[in-house]
C-alpha cells in the first residue's frame, strides 16, 4: 500500500548506551507505536543511538527532515551522560540554558535548597522550545520544531505522550483485522500474494507463530484506512483460508 501524501508520519529516536548494551530493555517503542497508530500517525522508522552527541545530532537531523514528528526517549536526566538536550539544541542551532519555567517546576517539587547542579541539568531547555509536562517527577520534556523530547523512564514517557497527544496533527486512523490462516506460512504464501496484488489499497501481513500444542500457524493481518477496501480484502483472504482448509480436508 502506498502511503497517502497527506499521511502524518513519525520516527522514534531512542538514546542511551544502556539500551544498546542490553542492560536496559526498551519498553517505549511498542507503547509509542500502538499509541500513534490509534490516533492516526504512521510510525515509519526507529533508530537507537549511543550517548554520543554527534551520533544523536546526525540521527535527529535525518529523522526530522523525513517525518512529520520525531519522538526521542532517554538522556534528559541529571547525570553527566544525559546529553540529549544539548544535542537537540546543537541540531537546531540554538543556545541552551536553565529555563525559568523548568526551574520553577523543579523548585516547587524538590524545594529551592535542593536545586543542586545535577537537578538543574534537567531544567536546561533549548531556546524556543515549549515544555512537555511531567506529572510524575515534574522535570519536563520539551518540544522544538517537529521534535518531541521525552524521558526514557516508561511511566514518565507515557505521561509526557499524553500531554502532547492532543496537540499533534493526526491523520485517518488505520483499521485492521486479523484472521488465523490455520496453515503454515509457506502453504498460503502464493495465493496470499495474489490477493495483495489485487488490493493495492491495503497491506496484508503474514505472521507465523507456534501454537501451545506445537503446531505451526499463521496470523494474517489486513490493514487499510478505508473500511470498504478493508472489507473486500478481508473477504478474499477469508475465502482463501476456507478453500485451503477444504482442500486439506479433502486430501486427508
Amino acid at each position: 500500500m502506498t502511503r497517502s501524501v497527506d499521511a502524518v508520519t513519525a520516527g522514534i529516536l531512542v538514546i542511551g548506551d544502556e539500551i544498546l548494551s542490553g542492560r536496559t530493555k526498551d519498553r517505549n517503542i511498542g507503547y509509542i507505536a500502538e499509541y500513534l497508530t490509534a490516533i492516526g500517525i504512521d510510525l515509519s522508522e526507529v533508530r537507537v543511538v549511543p550517548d554520543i552527541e554527534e551520533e544523536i545530532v546526525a540521527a535527529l537531523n535525518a529523522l526530522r527532515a523525513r517525518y512529520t514528528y520525531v519522538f526521542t526517549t532517554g538522556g534528559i536526566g541529571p547525570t553527566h551522560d544525559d546529553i540529549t538536550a544539548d544535542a537537540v539544541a546543537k541540531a537546531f542551532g540554538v543556545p541552551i540554558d536553565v529555563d525559568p519555567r523548568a526551574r520553577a517546576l523543579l523548585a516547587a517539587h524538590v524545594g529551592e535548597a535542593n536545586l543542586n547542579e545535577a537537578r538543574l541539568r534537567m531544567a536546561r531547555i533549548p531556546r524556543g522550545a515549549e515544555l512537555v509536562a511531567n506529572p510524575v517527577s515534574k522535570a519536563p520534556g520539551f518540544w522544538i520544531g517537529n521534535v518531541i523530547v521525552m524521558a526514557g523512564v516508561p511511566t514518565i514517557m507515557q505521561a509526557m505522550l499524553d500531554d502532547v497527544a492532543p496537540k499533534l496533527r493526526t491523520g485517518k486512523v488505520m483499521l485492521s483485522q486479523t484472521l488465523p490462516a490455520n496453515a503454515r506460512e509457506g502453504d498460503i504464501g502464493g495465493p496470499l500474494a495474489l490477493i495483495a496484488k489485487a488490493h493495492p489499497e491495503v497491506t496484508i501481513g503474514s505472521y507465523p507463530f507456534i501454537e501451545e500444542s506445537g503446531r505451526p500457524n499463521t496470523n494474517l493481518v489486513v490493514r487499510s484506512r478505508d473500511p470498504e477496501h478493508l472489507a473486500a480484502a478481508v473477504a478474499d483472504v477469508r475465502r482463501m483460508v476456507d478453500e485451503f482448509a477444504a482442500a486439506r480436508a479433502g486430501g486427508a
Side-chain angles (χ1 to χ4, degrees):
M1 180 176 64
T2 303
R3 180 177 286 120
S4 168
V5 294
D6 58 354
V8 182
T9 59
I12 296 176
L13 182 61
V14 180
I15 300 163
D17 293 339
E18 69 277 11
I19 300 294
L20 290 168
S21 71
R23 195 184 71 81
T24 298
K25 306 298 185 289
D26 180 85
R27 292 166 47 201
N28 293 327
I29 295 172
Y31 185 92
I32 297 172
E34 289 187 6
Y35 198 111
L36 296 182
T37 297
I39 62 176
I41 297 177
D42 294 346
L43 178 60
S44 303
E45 185 175 353
V46 177
R47 298 193 188 190
V48 185
V49 295
D51 296 311
I52 300 173
E53 185 176 86
E54 56 266 32
E55 298 280 351
I56 301 170
V57 171
L60 184 62
N61 281 335
L63 291 171
R64 71 188 182 98
R66 189 173 297 170
Y67 303 116
T68 312
Y69 297 110
V70 179
F71 298 85
T72 81
T73 64
I76 58 172
T79 59
H80 69 282
D81 58 345
D82 289 310
I83 60 172
T84 296
D86 295 272
V88 173
K90 187 171 182 178
F92 278 88
V94 298
I96 182 170
D97 205 345
V98 173
D99 185 293
R101 300 166 299 173
R103 189 186 190 285
L105 289 169
L106 290 170
H109 184 60
V110 303
E112 185 70 33
N114 294 315
L115 273 186
N116 56 26
E117 184 178 350
R119 289 193 174 97
L120 282 175
R121 284 183 60 81
M122 297 187 291
R124 298 174 70 251
I125 306 292
R127 182 178 297 175
E130 293 299 319
L131 300 187
V132 173
N134 169 9
V136 179
S137 61
K138 302 307 177 184
F142 58 89
W143 182 341
I144 181 169
N146 63 338
V147 176
I148 297 154
V149 177
M150 303 183 295
V153 178
T155 53
I156 300 177
M157 184 283 298
Q158 292 167 19
M160 289 181 171
L161 195 55
D162 285 338
D163 179 60
V164 301
K167 308 164 193 174
L168 298 171
R169 182 166 71 87
T170 57
K172 199 171 182 181
V173 173
M174 183 69 75
L175 307 173
S176 71
Q177 190 163 339
T178 301
L179 298 89
N182 297 317
R184 292 173 297 184
E185 193 175 34
D187 294 331
I188 46 86
L192 190 65
L194 294 176
I195 294 172
K197 186 175 181 179
H199 295 277
E201 309 87 356
V202 306
T203 57
I204 303 176
S206 174
Y207 305 99
F209 67 98
I210 304 297
E211 296 178 349
E212 289 185 5
S213 64
R215 187 181 72 169
N217 202 340
T218 309
N219 279 329
L220 304 176
V221 180
V222 186
R223 304 172 72 236
S224 176
R225 287 187 169 84
D226 186 295
E228 292 184 3
H229 289 152
L230 179 71
V234 165
D236 282 353
V237 171
R238 183 172 283 117
R239 187 179 305 111
M240 181 268 293
V241 169
D242 291 343
E243 289 173 354
F244 179 81
R248 184 171 53 186

